[in-house]
Amino acid sequence: MNARSARRGDLDAIARIYNEGIEGHVTFETEPRSAADVERWLEQPIVVVEDGGEVVGWARVSAYRPERPAYNGVGEFGVYVAGAHRGRGAGSLAMEALADECERRGYWKLLSRIFTENERSLALCRKLGFREVGVYRRHARLHGDWRDCVVVEKLIGEAAA
Ligand SMILES: CC(C)(COP(=O)(O)OP(=O)(O)OC[C@H]1O[C@@H](n2cnc3c(N)ncnc32)[C@H](O)[C@@H]1OP(=O)(O)O)[C@@H](O)C(=O)NCCC(=O)NCCS
């Protein structure tokens, strides 16, 4: 497996893998996304993992509170691996490549919110040195049910020194 920056030709695979996550109820996103919907993701750090030339996972950051310039080195990350390829290191590889890319671009923190039931994602973050900041209780409803989220963060780049 190898990781690299995503490009336009990866958008179909990125959307397809994301839609598996939406169906798996691991995100507050509820509508399936198309390649056109996710094209703007290429404007910020986003990496894919390939296995034998096939895109099997990706990780990206989006801006955290973009209306406040002071936060411009904080990235909210998402990481998704195709169902058939989970548990084989693709998520770890994607997150490591994403953190490297973010460091190169001067980011100092990655953070996210993960459903408390999402053991795989929490295990991935623990393994990569993320700190669990706390739990947002009843952060929002997904398909009518209140969901709690663990807030995770990791300092990178100059902030980690
Ligand atoms: C979360 C996800 C990205 C992890 O990617 P992955 O490729 O499966 O993860 P990895 O194989 O790199 O495993 C990372 C760690 O997770 C843990 N892990 C792996 N499989 C697991 C399982 N079935 N149950 C619990 N923990 C597990 C292990 O600690 C592993 O570390 P190790 O390699 O030292 O054993 C992937 O499972 C996924 O796409 N899930 C659905 C989408 C999702 O939940 N995204 C996150 C939204 S916040």
Side-chain angles (χ1 to χ4, degrees), residues 34-91:
S34 67
D37 292 332
V38 301
E39 188 172 7
R40 64 188 164 79
W41 292 359
L42 297 177
E43 293 164 13
Q44 297 186 62
I46 175 166
V47 300
V48 294
V49 169
E50 293 176 311
D51 189 358
E54 178 194 358
V55 172
V56 298
W58 54 264
R60 75 172 190 115
V61 294
S62 55
Y64 174 77
R65 298 197 178 179
E67 71 281 4
R68 301 247 173 96
Y71 290 132
N72 70 6
V74 180
E76 287 210 52
F77 73 88
V79 55
Y80 289 80
V81 172
H85 296 268
R86 289 178 196 155
R88 294 173 44 232

Side-chain angles (χ1 to χ4, degrees), residues 70-127:
Y71 290 132
N72 70 6
V74 180
E76 287 210 52
F77 73 88
V79 55
Y80 289 80
V81 172
H85 296 268
R86 289 178 196 155
R88 294 173 44 232
S92 304
L93 185 57
M95 284 301 296
E96 284 161 357
L98 183 72
D100 288 348
E101 177 62 20
C102 287
E103 280 194 356
R104 269 196 295 278
R105 298 206 204 180
Y107 283 73
W108 61 81
K109 178 182 287 200
L110 299 180
L111 60 75
S112 195
R113 290 166 305 276
I114 300 172
F115 290 153
T116 46
E117 302 84 2
N118 194 342
E119 275 306 323
R120 271 180 194 257
S121 188
L122 290 169
L124 171 66
C125 289
R126 276 184 213 117
K127 174 187 163 187

